[in-house]
Amino acid sequence: MDIDAAIGDSVNKLKEIRMENDEFVDEDDDDNDNDNDFDDSDSDDEDEPITLGFLEKPKNPLNLSRHFFPSKAGGLPAWLDPLNIPAGKSSVCDFCGDPLHFVLQVYAPVVEKESTFHRMLFVFMCPSMTCLLRDQHEQWKRNPERPSRSVKVFRCQLPRINPFYSSECPKYDGSDKPTGTGAALCDWCGTWKGDKLCSSCKQVRYCSEKHQTMSWRAEHNIACQQIKVSLPVCGPNKNGTTSLESCKVGNKHTWPEFEIIEDQSECNKDVSEDNALANSLILRNRSDDTMNSLMDSFQGDEDKRSWAHFQERIAKDPEQVLRYYRNSNAKPIWPILSGRPSRDDIPKCIYCGGSMCCEFQILPQLLYYFGVDNEVNSLDWASIVVYACEASCEASLPYKHEYAWVQLYSPSASPVV
């Protein structure tokens, strides 16, 4: 079956679902006793403007350097505090122990506070779907003593006067430069601190034994002798640090790099039903068999209505990958009802004990841009919603752990009784 026929068939299926109910049921009114009725995150308020994020190949990759405070996806993180980046267990998957992959970062200053003049949130995850499935079982444990996650979020914030950046806005004329140096990074991934030195050349650094082994097998076994008589590739300078921007990375398996471009909400756009669904990025890039499988896996009519509603909303701006909610009364749009969090499922801030608010939502369209294969064991999710400390508290750690709620299409994402 060609893709146009597949899209048409899928659209018809979703239209039939909607025709069963003249209008969508408000989930909050549908079952007042439902523990999943989370007032702050059940469904989007269509009249509330939000910011949408779209991906664009950078015209000038240098503009994604850290001193331009970029919002970006894929490639390497542009650490806001380049010296005191997360390390140890914070940088690895809690299930397989492998270093996490960079997903995206969002520049989100809070203007009401001096300490949040610069503010960035970073999302990392393990690329293993097996680990993400294990993550789901841990996610439903409320307030575990030692949470285990394969998706991790970090918040970093700086005042206007800080050791790393000018207090003036970037000029984008070639004169902009960071005022501080960064930590020595792993030569293989270019993401995490390079705390381990190659035992032979003693210049190239790695964040883990796994990345050291991968680098050795890929190219370093040959380059090692050459590096001994040349300048360090990613090793320390006189002060024991190196510039993040000059680090050469051997890893060819990072996700493609994009700039995140902001745009206004879709709330005032008028898109016909047929065109909206036909233009949906998810529908364009999922086969008919996959769509049928998703529909069959949903647990009931409520899930199917939620899925159709999600598709209808996303289709107004089909290439959006991010929905930013902070300082808005709008709510995330959940693809399915099962697997949504209740209010009690979202923990308090682990630093100040205050409430967490919904910061932004990552949509599954991002996987298309990252080129993730649509196969049984490939990485996949229905939605990732990031919650951050509502007060954006000033704990002493440079990078503070925030919280991600991951919803999968599979019913296995539901809590186990």
Side-chain angles (χ1 to χ4, degrees):
M1 178 181 295
D2 62 39
I3 188 64
D4 291 336
I7 293 172
D9 198 17
S10 298
V11 171
N12 289 334
K13 288 182 176 63
L14 292 178
K15 288 174 65 178
E16 290 170 3
I17 293 172
R18 286 204 304 278
M19 289 172 64
E20 293 176 2
N21 299 273
D22 291 336
E23 60 184 22
F24 290 103
V25 178
D26 185 334
E27 291 89 358
D28 289 339
D29 297 333
D30 184 54
D31 184 359
N32 291 329
D33 296 326
N34 189 345
D35 186 47
N36 278 341
D37 285 343
F38 185 12
D39 292 341
D40 290 338
S41 60
D42 277 345
S43 60
D44 196 13
D45 182 344
E46 298 190 17
D47 295 326
E48 182 73 24
I50 63 172
T51 301
L52 303 181
F54 301 85
L55 297 188
E56 183 178 280
K57 275 294 185 183
K59 297 180 176 64
N60 183 358
L62 291 178
N63 288 342
L64 298 185
S65 301
R66 61 183 175 90
H67 51 286
F68 292 116
F69 314 107
S71 293
K72 65 187 291 288
L76 302 178
W79 294 108
L80 183 60
D81 179 337
L83 190 59
N84 303 296
I85 64 178
K89 292 184 179 180
S90 294
S91 65
V92 301
C93 172
D94 292 331
F95 301 105
C96 69
D98 288 349
L100 296 171
H101 286 210
F102 172 65
V103 179
L104 57 76
Q105 64 187 72
V106 176
Y107 184 62
V110 178
V111 297
E112 294 84 3
K113 298 174 62 177
E114 170 60 22
S115 63
T116 55
F117 184 86
H118 297 297
R119 181 174 176 271
M120 192 85 75
L121 288 104
F122 299 80
V123 180
F124 295 84
M125 72 186 309
C126 179
S128 167
M129 190 62 191
T130 300
C131 291
L132 189 58
L133 289 169
R134 294 179 65 185
D135 182 291
Q136 299 309 290
H137 293 289
E138 294 292 318
Q139 182 173 266
W140 286 103
K141 297 179 181 179
R142 291 180 181 174
N143 303 314
E145 183 178 347
R146 294 183 178 178
S148 296
R149 299 303 306 268
S150 70
V151 181
K152 298 184 180 181
V153 180
F154 301 98
R155 166 172 56 92
C156 181
Q157 56 200 43
L158 296 170
R160 182 167 189 167
I161 306 300
N162 63 80
F164 307 113
Y165 308 103
S166 167
S167 60
E168 302 302 322
C169 294
K171 300 181 178 61
Y172 296 94
D173 60 359
S175 65
D176 300 305
K177 294 184 184 299
T179 58
T181 58
L185 299 179
C186 174
D187 182 66
W188 180 253
C189 70
T191 299
W192 305 107
K193 278 188 175 182
D195 292 331
K196 301 180 183 297
L197 277 173
C198 171
S199 59
S200 180
C201 68
K202 301 188 186 306
Q203 293 187 11
V204 176
R205 292 176 171 262
Y206 300 102
C207 67
S208 62
E209 291 183 3
K210 178 172 183 176
H211 283 184
Q212 183 174 3
T213 300
M214 295 172 70
S215 176
W216 183 265
R217 291 175 178 174
E219 57 186 19
H220 189 61
N221 59 337
I222 298 174
C224 189
Q225 296 302 317
Q226 298 174 352
I227 292 177
K228 285 182 181 181
V229 295
S230 65
L231 293 175
V233 176
C234 203
N237 57 24
K238 294 179 181 179
N239 299 320
T241 60
T242 188
S243 169
L244 276 69
E245 292 77 14
S246 63
C247 178
K248 176 182 177 182
V249 178
N251 185 7
K252 305 301 190 294
H253 302 289
T254 56
W255 283 311
E257 184 177 57
F258 296 91
E259 184 176 3
I260 298 178
I261 306 299
E262 297 179 359
D263 201 354
Q264 294 298 314
S265 167
E266 82 285 0
C267 60
N268 294 322
K269 294 184 179 180
D270 182 15
V271 181
S272 71
E273 180 181 277
D274 289 346
N275 287 338
L277 289 172
N279 287 333
S280 169
L281 186 64
I282 296 177
L283 292 179
R284 288 208 309 265
N285 296 286
R286 288 192 181 275
S287 68
D288 189 54
D289 290 340
T290 301
M291 182 63 67
N292 288 338
S293 176
L294 286 173
M295 296 298 287
D296 292 341
S297 71
F298 294 157
Q299 297 177 350
D301 290 341
E302 294 300 322
D303 276 344
K304 293 179 179 180
R305 284 199 295 270
S306 183
W307 173 252
H309 183 219
F310 175 79
Q311 289 286 354
E312 182 180 43
R313 295 300 307 280
I314 294 302
K316 297 176 181 179
D317 290 283
E319 295 183 352
Q320 62 183 287
V321 299
L322 185 139
R323 301 169 70 86
Y324 189 83
Y325 297 108
R326 189 178 180 92
N327 300 324
S328 167
N329 291 323
K331 307 166 188 176
I333 49 174
W334 298 100
I336 51 178
L337 295 190
S338 55
R340 292 184 310 167
S342 69
R343 186 182 300 277
D344 291 336
D345 288 316
I346 305 302
K348 298 293 185 181
C349 174
I350 62 175
Y351 305 103
C352 70
S355 298
M356 307 272 275
C357 68
C358 176
E359 187 96 18
F360 58 84
Q361 177 178 16
I362 305 173
L363 302 177
Q365 284 91 318
L366 182 63
L367 293 165
Y368 165 76
Y369 286 98
F370 280 177
V372 175
D373 294 331
N374 186 21
E375 298 176 355
V376 174
N377 294 321
S378 296
L379 187 65
D380 199 6
W381 66 74
S383 183
I384 300 176
V385 179
V386 170
Y387 295 86
C389 176
E390 188 170 7
S392 203
C393 67
E394 301 173 26
S396 58
L397 289 175
Y399 285 89
K400 303 156 189 65
H401 285 270
E402 298 293 10
Y403 189 79
W405 184 272
V406 183
Q407 184 185 54
L408 302 183
Y409 294 108
S410 168
S412 65
S414 299
V416 178
V417 180

